[in-house]
Amino acid sequence: MTDHLKKQQIRLAQVRQEHLLKFFDELTPDKRLQLLRDLDELDFDEIKPNWERATISMNANGIKLDSRMQPMPEDQILSIARTSPEKLNAYRKIGLQQIAKGHVAVLLMAGGQGTRLGFDHPKGMYDVGLQSHKTLFRIQAERILKLEQLAEEACGQRGRIVWYIMTSEHTMQPTLNYLEANNYFGLLVENVMLFEQGSLPCFDYDGRIILDEKHRVARSPDGNGGIYRAMQRAGVLDDMKRRSILYVHAHSVDNILIKVADPIFIGYCVQEQADCAAKVVEKSSPNEAVGVVAIVDNKYQVVEYSEISQKTAEMRNADGRLTYSAGNICNHFFTVAFLQKIGNSYERKLKLHVAKKKIPFVDNAGNRLTPNQPNGIKIEKFVFDVFEFAEKFVAMEVPRDEEFSALKNADSAGKDCPSTARDDLHRLHRKYIEKAGGTVHGDICEISPFVSYAGENLEELVAGKSFSSPVYLSESPMHGHL
């Protein structure tokens, strides 16, 4: 203990963080060990540069990027709505071939709790109230299973889509318990790998790390951009290499319409030889508070709504569409080679995003206080901040009503909530049936992923038939590994 303590005292003095041991002598042996463990986890080589970069980021808040921005070139963004069915089918075929060969994995960002939904569990376990009562996790797992089947039917071999799930410290165990209790929804257990998001220390405005308790350092999750470091630390990148995975579809858990490992997206990116890509939706209005994918200083990045002026947000092309219209929806493609490059070289260069927060702290007298005003900063990294390191970046503009419905708020908010997610899925599934020649009377309509992944192969079931709400097209789970 004494040697360990001396080592920490020296390390802390070098980065002017000696105050973290101020109450050490008052602690019980167990709490002393806990504090030393917390200090061991701090990367002291990064503390000073992180604080300096965070300060620069804070000072840059509010600076407009208009004069440094350009929209994405037309030839690097594929619009689903303006692309022929033949071309989309060719991309789909390429994607299914890669899936059948076992070259595709899914990277799910599932660190969030359902707190804003009034749900004290991981958000992926939430049931929005579909007739099937399937949770987000179950819907996405079943889409993976269906896609494996479609790829096998198209290509004659069964490839497995490995499901890598990033949790947070608080959602790891509940997520694991939930998956085990549900037999991984039919996925092979060896093809589901959970790993934990990292965290970063919280600072006061003078660059001193905050004590949450006398024996605990204040930390907060490092944002969805922490996924690159977390993958490296957990051996995910090595696992991908071992399995000969070449391409990864990364997305957040809270989009009920997500086309998991979308073969059209995969195929397009493979055909274009992109190392990094994003799905985007057309902004609904100039004032929609969503980041847009654009070029800043000759590099691709997501420009937040607050970083451009009203005048730039309202700019329109000759065809009347917004100039900066590529709304970011946290839906990305990466090659594994690109992820390796990020893990080995660029992760430490990722931008740091700063939020001023009310952070509970221990004052000089040893009292734990909860402030009424922001008293410090939390640092986050964003998953899209790797775009600038891509050698070939492309985007795919997808129809919002078919691919994006976020679940973030309780129903009282009236948007991005359980009722809007449920309604959006009902509307899309009704559209699938009508496109296949069926008629639906009423609004409640659900199609099991085991019946159709994205509206395909429904004609035989629904053509010329009339359905009355509530409609639920279900099928018993596929044979094989349940």
Side-chain angles (χ1 to χ4, degrees):
M1 173 79 85
T2 309
D3 289 346
H4 195 175
L5 177 60
K6 283 180 181 173
K7 182 184 169 189
Q8 292 294 2
Q9 286 170 330
I10 293 166
R11 291 174 79 213
L12 290 169
Q14 289 169 344
V15 288
R16 299 183 178 179
Q17 302 289 344
E18 302 97 320
H19 64 284
L20 295 175
L21 287 169
K22 180 181 175 73
F23 304 104
F24 191 83
D25 292 342
E26 302 174 21
L27 301 176
T28 62
D30 283 352
K31 289 185 175 179
R32 287 181 179 185
L33 278 174
Q34 179 61 66
L35 178 57
L36 291 173
R37 273 199 297 270
D38 274 13
L39 297 178
D40 283 339
E41 288 175 12
L42 292 175
D43 187 337
F44 284 83
D45 292 335
E46 284 196 331
I47 286 173
K48 190 166 182 287
N50 272 3
W51 166 250
E52 289 168 352
R53 288 165 62 212
T55 305
I56 292 167
S57 179
M58 264 197 299
N59 294 336
N61 280 351
I63 294 175
K64 304 296 182 187
L65 300 177
D66 303 49
S67 62
R68 296 157 52 195
M69 278 176 66
Q70 295 171 279
M72 279 196 70
E74 289 283 324
D75 63 351
Q76 283 178 262
I77 181 163
L78 179 93
S79 167
I80 293 289
R82 293 185 291 279
T83 302
S84 71
E86 292 76 20
K87 200 163 190 179
L88 294 179
N89 205 40
Y91 290 139
R92 183 176 183 270
K93 190 175 178 183
I94 294 168
L96 289 175
Q97 285 169 349
Q98 294 303 327
I99 289 165
K101 291 174 182 174
H103 289 168
V104 177
V106 170
L107 187 55
L108 176 63
M109 290 167 266
Q113 295 265 43
T115 313
R116 278 157 68 184
L117 297 162
F119 181 67
D120 193 25
H121 302 283
K123 201 187 278 188
M125 291 168 58
Y126 194 80
D127 164 14
V128 302
L130 297 174
Q131 296 168 82
S132 63
H133 292 292
K134 289 177 180 177
T135 63
L136 295 171
F137 278 141
R138 179 178 285 277
I139 291 167
Q140 290 166 31
E142 290 183 1
R143 286 179 186 155
I144 288 173
L145 282 167
K146 182 62 175 178
L147 197 49
E148 289 179 350
Q149 183 196 42
L150 290 171
E152 182 179 23
E153 288 169 358
C155 307
Q157 67 184 108
R158 181 83 178 208
R160 301 296 184 190
I161 298 171
V162 182
W163 205 18
Y164 296 98
I165 303 174
M166 183 176 79
T167 70
S168 64
E169 176 188 356
H170 302 293
T171 61
M172 169 62 92
Q173 199 57 49
T175 300
L176 183 60
N177 293 345
Y178 178 68
L179 293 172
E180 287 178 346
N182 287 278
N183 196 26
Y184 292 84
F185 307 113
L187 293 165
L188 295 171
V189 63
E190 60 265 31
N191 291 334
V192 181
M193 180 175 179
L194 276 65
F195 64 104
E196 201 172 298
Q197 179 178 5
S199 61
L200 290 168
C202 303
F203 294 89
D204 67 17
Y205 296 135
D206 296 319
R208 287 158 41 105
I209 293 171
I210 294 172
L211 273 178
D212 179 54
E213 297 180 60
K214 290 179 183 180
H215 67 293
R216 297 306 310 257
V217 170
R219 303 181 72 98
S220 62
D222 57 4
N224 58 19
I227 198 165
Y228 306 108
R229 178 168 295 192
M231 288 168 73
Q232 184 92 326
R233 285 182 172 169
V236 170
L237 294 176
D238 291 337
D239 188 70
M240 288 177 173
K241 199 172 176 182
R242 182 180 63 79
R243 294 176 188 258
S244 301
I245 293 167
L246 301 178
Y247 311 111
V248 175
H249 180 214
H251 66 89
S252 56
V253 75
D254 59 5
N255 177 9
I256 198 168
L257 302 185
I258 189 76
K259 289 185 177 177
V260 185
D262 176 12
I264 295 176
F265 188 37
I266 302 291
Y268 169 62
C269 295
V270 170
Q271 180 73 23
E272 291 293 315
Q273 297 183 310
D275 49 7
C276 177
K279 277 192 178 184
V280 297
V281 294
E282 188 170 2
K283 279 184 68 171
S284 58
S285 71
N287 295 325
E288 185 182 7
V290 61
V292 293
V293 181
I295 298 173
V296 179
D297 299 334
N298 297 314
K299 292 177 180 175
Y300 287 97
Q301 73 171 67
V302 173
V303 179
E304 297 295 351
Y305 175 66
S306 59
E307 294 176 318
I308 57 175
S309 68
Q310 185 69 20
K311 184 180 177 185
T312 299
E314 290 176 352
M315 282 172 58
R316 292 186 183 271
N317 300 335
D319 62 4
R321 293 171 60 244
L322 290 171
T323 301
Y324 294 100
S325 65
N328 178 55
I329 56 171
C330 194
N331 192 327
H332 309 305
F333 164 93
F334 305 111
T335 64
V336 173
F338 178 71
L339 291 174
Q340 294 275 7
K341 201 187 299 182
I342 297 300
N344 294 334
S345 306
Y346 296 121
E347 196 280 331
R348 283 175 180 255
K349 298 178 184 177
L350 282 184
K351 287 177 194 160
L352 298 180
H353 300 263
V354 174
K356 294 181 179 180
K357 296 283 186 180
K358 292 180 268 192
I359 303 168
F361 68 102
V362 176
D363 68 9
N364 286 328
N367 303 307
R368 188 177 192 269
L369 305 177
T370 301
N372 296 320
Q373 300 293 327
N375 64 316
I377 65 167
K378 292 184 176 182
I379 299 172
E380 282 189 304
K381 301 171 187 177
F382 293 163
V383 66
F384 53 69
D385 280 332
V386 296
F387 291 179
E388 66 172 290
F389 305 117
E391 289 178 26
K392 177 71 183 285
F393 179 86
V394 296
M396 176 178 277
E397 184 187 280
V398 299
R400 187 186 294 244
D401 69 326
E402 294 184 9
E403 298 214 28
F404 184 60
S405 181
L407 179 65
K408 297 189 182 297
N409 309 310
D411 270 337
S412 55
K415 69 169 194 173
D416 296 340
C417 58
S419 59
T420 56
R422 186 173 63 247
D423 290 349
D424 287 343
L425 184 133
H426 286 159
R427 202 175 295 116
L428 176 61
H429 287 192
R430 176 178 171 165
K431 182 175 167 180
Y432 285 160
I433 290 175
E434 290 173 343
K435 193 175 177 184
T439 304
V440 177
H441 301 283
D443 298 325
I444 300 172
C445 182
E446 180 185 353
I447 302 170
S448 165
F450 290 131
V451 174
S452 185
Y453 168 82
E456 78 292 329
N457 302 332
L458 287 175
E459 289 81 4
E460 199 176 314
L461 278 173
V462 306
K465 295 180 182 175
S466 181
F467 300 87
S468 294
S469 171
V471 180
Y472 180 40
L473 299 186
S474 66
E475 186 180 276
S476 57
M478 291 172 297
H479 59 83
H481 43 263
L482 277 171

